[in-house]
Amino acid sequence: MNPEKSVREYRADELAALVPLPAADANKYTRGTLTAVVGSERYPGAACLAAAASQRAGAGYTEVVTHPTAVDLVRAWRPSLVVLPRAALPEALAPAREGRPRACLVGCGFDVRDEESGPIVRAVLEQAQIPVVVDGSGLDALACEEGRLLLRRRFEEGLPTVVTPHAGEAARLARPLGLPSDDPCALARSLSLALGVIALVKGPVTYASDGDEIVRMTHGTPALAKAGTGDVLAGLVGALLAQGADALDAAVLGAELHARAGRIAAARLTDVAVVAEDVLEAVPHAIAELLREA
Ligand SMILES: NC(=O)C1=CN([C@@H]2O[C@H](COP(=O)(O)OP(=O)(O)OC[C@H]3O[C@@H](n4cnc5c(N)ncnc54)[C@H](OP(=O)(O)O)[C@@H]3O)[C@@H](O)[C@H]2O)[C@@H](O)CC1
Ligand SMILES: Nc1ncnc2c1ncn2[C@@H]1O[C@H](COP(=O)(O)OP(=O)(O)O)[C@@H](O)[C@H]1O
């Protein structure tokens, strides 16, 4: 099949319809819980960025499970976050209940030198009976037979897994599978099919695929090419999944809000000066802009 045939873009009105507006009788649990298993001793900042993005994208309850050395920093960054050390992980992976959606984000700010990283990612994939997003160095745990087996099992059980690699991470996932990695559009679809995931391959143009459709997103800006912006995106996608969005829709809406937030930040601060915290701050404006446009 020629992948170009099925490439599409979401219209602004389609995207706006996916924005999770809270019901009048909502409470924090009905709005969805994201358990973000993120950060390491080396990269505690990624945990902060992803968790705050989740709050801004509407999750009612954002819980951070992080390296013990990062706990105080993340708590101090935002008192509204619930922050637990990694030892709390098994209890934190509770299943969703009727009307109480949940999702898990794992891997942003993981450190390949940290021996706990791989086992944590695999434990999440094995235990979490909820949608999971895998990002950052957590993706390295998927480039081996054991990781692929866990993904395949989740796929067969109907549990969505979203992966959010940048070009380097996508190439590392593709290599052991013998997949060519020079075309991000084709790669999004081939990774999706080979791993049984929804693949969001990030770059100047970002592509999402569920193995059937491929969605192209062209609204980004080079202002986003700064450390930490991917962590913000992962938090957005995780929060949308936690609110019950379909996995492909969550990936596409997350990337669209991220791209718009980057542009809004750049319009105020220049393409040169924008940093990941500015993208985070612009997320509410991106939501408002999208709702206004539709
Ligand atoms: N504040 C924080 O706490 C932050 C924490 N962070 C966290 O750090 C962790 C490591 O993530 P990372 O992306 O820095 O390292 P990683 O992908 O392993 O790089 C290895 C090699 O891959 C390549 N490569 C990289 N990017 C590429 C691209 N776009 N396109 C193509 N190739 C690319 C490049 O190799 P080269 O091509 O230069 O030879 C590079 O040397 C991760 O968990 C993340 O969440 C970050 O989010 C930053 C802010
Ligand atoms: N030149 C560019 N144009 C548009 N978007 C870009 C560009 N460069 C990077 N981005 C976006 O910035 C983000 C960077 O993510 P990533 O590389 O994972 O960052 P980090 O790991 O530092 O958090 C992605 O969403 C990507 O699509």
Side-chain angles (χ1 to χ4, degrees):
M1 174 188 164
N2 174 5
E4 271 300 324
K5 269 191 178 165
S6 58
V7 177
R8 74 171 185 112
E9 294 183 10
Y10 281 39
R11 296 187 314 271
D13 62 309
E14 290 178 279
L15 289 161
L18 297 172
V19 172
L21 298 174
D25 62 351
N27 68 46
K28 61 183 181 251
Y29 297 114
T30 62
R31 293 188 69 184
T33 297
L34 182 72
T35 299
V37 187
V38 290
S40 59
E41 188 165 14
R42 187 180 172 93
Y43 301 121
C48 298
L49 293 166
S54 163
Q55 294 181 303
R56 288 301 192 194
Y61 200 105
T62 302
E63 181 175 67
V64 179
V65 179
T66 192
H67 192 277
T69 58
V71 167
D72 288 346
L73 178 90
V74 184
R75 279 195 186 131
W77 154 257
R78 290 210 165 207
S80 50
L81 291 168
V82 176
V83 189
L84 305 166
R86 284 175 176 177
L89 190 54
E91 294 153 48
L93 294 175
R97 288 188 289 129
E98 184 64 33
R100 304 281 187 276
R102 300 183 71 103
C104 183
L105 163 64
V106 65
C108 312
F110 275 19
D111 176 2
V112 286
R113 284 150 289 199
D114 173 0
E115 286 178 1
E116 290 180 359
S117 297
I120 289 175
V121 175
R122 289 190 280 272
V124 166
L125 293 175
E126 197 161 17
Q127 292 165 29
Q129 298 294 302
I130 52 179
V132 172
V133 184
V134 189
D135 180 59
S137 294
L139 290 163
D140 281 16
L142 309 183
C144 64
E145 194 53 41
E146 194 184 350
R148 288 192 290 269
L149 201 65
L150 288 167
L151 291 176
R152 186 53 53 187
R153 201 177 297 156
R154 287 180 59 82
F155 176 77
E156 284 163 3
E157 290 172 5
L159 293 168
T161 310
V162 179
V163 299
T164 52
H166 60 52
E169 291 159 342
R172 293 205 287 272
L173 289 175
R175 203 168 302 124
L177 296 164
L179 298 172
S181 56
D182 48 337
D183 173 0
C185 174
L187 186 56
R189 185 162 184 271
S190 60
L191 280 178
S192 172
L193 289 170
L195 298 174
V197 298
I198 288 79
L200 183 69
V201 176
K202 302 177 293 189
V205 176
T206 289
Y207 294 92
S209 179
D210 60 2
D212 179 20
E213 282 190 294
I214 306 173
V215 183
R216 176 172 41 218
M217 285 154 283
T218 55
H219 296 152
T221 158
L224 286 168
K226 282 250 177 93
T229 58
D231 304 314
V232 173
L233 174 59
L236 298 177
V237 175
L240 296 168
L241 272 179
Q243 291 168 89
D246 162 83
L248 182 64
D249 288 347
V252 174
L253 179 58
E256 173 71 21
L257 291 175
H258 185 251
R260 282 177 184 252
R263 296 184 83 91
I264 290 166
R268 194 166 65 86
L269 300 166
T270 76
D271 282 357
V272 177
V274 166
V275 294
E277 289 86 344
D278 303 318
V279 179
L280 179 60
E281 276 176 29
V283 167
H285 305 288
I287 295 170
E289 183 189 84
L290 179 61
L291 292 174
R292 256 197 324 270
E293 245 177 52

